[in-house]
Amino acid sequence: MTMLDNVGLVLEGGGMRGMFSAGVFEAFMQGDIEFPYATAVSAGACNVVSYLSRQPMRTRKIITDYVADPRYCSVRNLLRDGSLFNFDFILKEIPQKLLPFDYEAFRQSSCNLYVGATDCNTGEVIWFPKETMGDDFEPLRASSSLPFLAPVVHFQGYELMDGGLADPIPVEKAMADGHERNVIVLTRNPGYYSTENYPIWLLKLWYAKYPKLIEIIRTRSENYNRQMALAEQLEKDGKAVVIRPLEPLTIGRLDRKPQELLKLHDHGIECGLALLENIRRLAQK
């Protein structure tokens, strides 16, 4: 693999739309490139691990074999365990039994991965390095715990939720860590800006003990749009390569239609391959 020195990898979340990012990672493997550093939240973090373990098409097989399984995602899970996604199934049973994950290759990867989760008490992002993952991937569970659809995750003394709430496109984290040039993988098309909004009464009812979390959720769209504008400006300035779907997605955050997700995954491969030379040029600047 060719290491792209001093180029960071920045990964947005997006729930099931993250299958686009998984396809982009396949393009990276086909192009024989790796990054010394990555910062990721939510689905971006969950899907990048198979790239770091160098297991081609692993996520595609998860789509074909398990995404439609009610153990993966279902209202039954929500009613039974308080989480729409069954993270024990996704982060334990699949990688440890059904579709073995190469933990050793992941740990030996040269990429310094940082996974972000939102601290419910402070509203700030807590960054967990690759070394904290463990076999059960608790930071991934925390980073992917969506509001109203998953419980607060307790890990290392923190109360945590979806990393995409406080830092949806974590390019500023990469820049603060010294990576002025970045490849930014988004799960939304050009021209998209967030208008997501939750009723304040619902937030106060559901998360009454977490006023900082409420404020972060209320201002998430504003923060997302600011970070999107920053990513696009960095691209114009020649400091970033942005990889994103070319057209508006019909797939929602919670969609589980295997054939549609496979198309999105393959679109990610296509978009990633198309920009490999741009990425190599970015590394040479």
Side-chain angles (χ1 to χ4, degrees):
M1 300 289 284
T2 301
M3 177 64 74
L4 303 178
D5 293 332
N6 299 319
V7 176
L9 179 61
V10 176
L11 306 175
E12 181 186 3
M16 301 309 291
R17 293 190 298 269
M19 297 306 177
F20 172 84
S21 303
V24 174
F25 305 146
E26 294 295 334
F28 293 164
M29 283 190 273
Q30 291 179 29
D32 198 39
I33 61 173
E34 61 180 329
F35 298 83
Y37 171 97
T39 181
V41 294
S42 198
C46 289
N47 290 322
V48 77
V49 297
S50 292
Y51 165 51
L52 298 187
S53 69
R54 297 295 182 264
Q55 292 178 269
M57 296 298 175
R58 185 173 180 276
T59 303
R60 201 175 201 281
K61 187 165 180 58
I62 290 174
I63 296 172
T64 58
D65 292 357
Y66 301 113
V67 161
D69 190 317
R71 291 175 295 175
Y72 191 99
C73 177
S74 66
V75 174
R76 183 187 70 182
N77 295 335
L78 184 63
L79 295 176
R80 184 187 62 197
D81 303 318
S83 178
L84 192 69
F85 289 92
N86 183 345
F87 288 114
D88 284 339
F89 181 69
I90 296 169
L91 299 177
K92 295 182 182 180
E93 189 168 351
I94 291 177
Q96 295 175 15
K97 297 179 180 179
L98 302 176
L99 185 59
F101 180 77
D102 192 336
Y103 291 95
E104 188 59 29
F106 172 73
R107 292 180 181 121
Q108 291 182 359
S109 168
S110 299
C111 180
N112 292 313
L113 171 66
Y114 289 87
V115 172
T118 300
D119 185 328
C120 297
N121 291 295
T122 67
E124 298 178 352
V125 184
I126 306 299
W127 293 101
F128 297 98
K130 183 177 63 179
E131 293 73 24
T132 66
M133 292 298 119
D135 287 356
D136 292 341
F137 290 127
E138 282 300 301
L140 299 186
R141 182 193 295 256
S143 188
S144 303
S145 292
L146 300 174
F148 306 110
L149 300 177
V152 171
V153 173
H154 297 261
F155 182 66
Q156 291 190 351
Y158 296 103
E159 295 178 278
L160 303 164
M161 290 207 74
D162 179 12
L165 297 176
D167 207 348
I169 307 173
V171 64
E172 289 158 311
K173 163 66 174 172
M175 295 170 67
D177 285 349
H179 293 275
E180 295 184 0
R181 292 171 291 167
N182 293 282
V183 172
I184 305 170
V185 183
L186 305 177
T187 54
R188 289 292 196 176
N189 56 282
Y192 173 83
Y193 283 89
S194 176
T195 57
E196 186 178 70
N197 189 31
Y198 293 100
I200 185 61
W201 67 264
L202 181 60
L203 292 171
K204 288 183 176 180
L205 176 66
W206 206 276
Y207 296 113
K209 64 178 291 189
Y210 301 118
K212 296 290 188 181
L213 178 65
I214 291 173
E215 184 61 22
I216 283 296
I217 296 174
R218 288 185 64 240
T219 58
R220 182 189 180 278
S221 286
E222 179 181 341
N223 192 30
Y224 180 92
N225 294 337
R226 179 185 59 78
Q227 291 184 323
M228 177 71 77
L230 174 60
E232 292 173 346
Q233 186 59 53
L234 291 171
E235 183 179 37
K236 291 177 182 178
D237 293 342
K239 295 181 179 179
V241 172
V242 176
I243 307 175
R244 63 201 326 188
L246 299 181
E247 300 293 337
L249 298 185
T250 58
I251 290 175
R253 179 179 293 177
L254 304 177
D255 278 347
R256 296 189 301 120
K257 306 179 186 73
Q259 291 306 313
E260 294 301 313
L261 292 172
L262 289 173
K263 290 179 184 178
L264 182 60
H265 179 273
D266 294 347
H267 183 51
I269 297 177
E270 176 188 20
C271 292
L273 290 175
L275 290 172
L276 284 180
E277 287 307 313
N278 291 24
I279 293 171
R280 293 189 178 102
R281 285 195 292 269
L282 180 69
Q284 294 169 359
K285 289 185 177 180

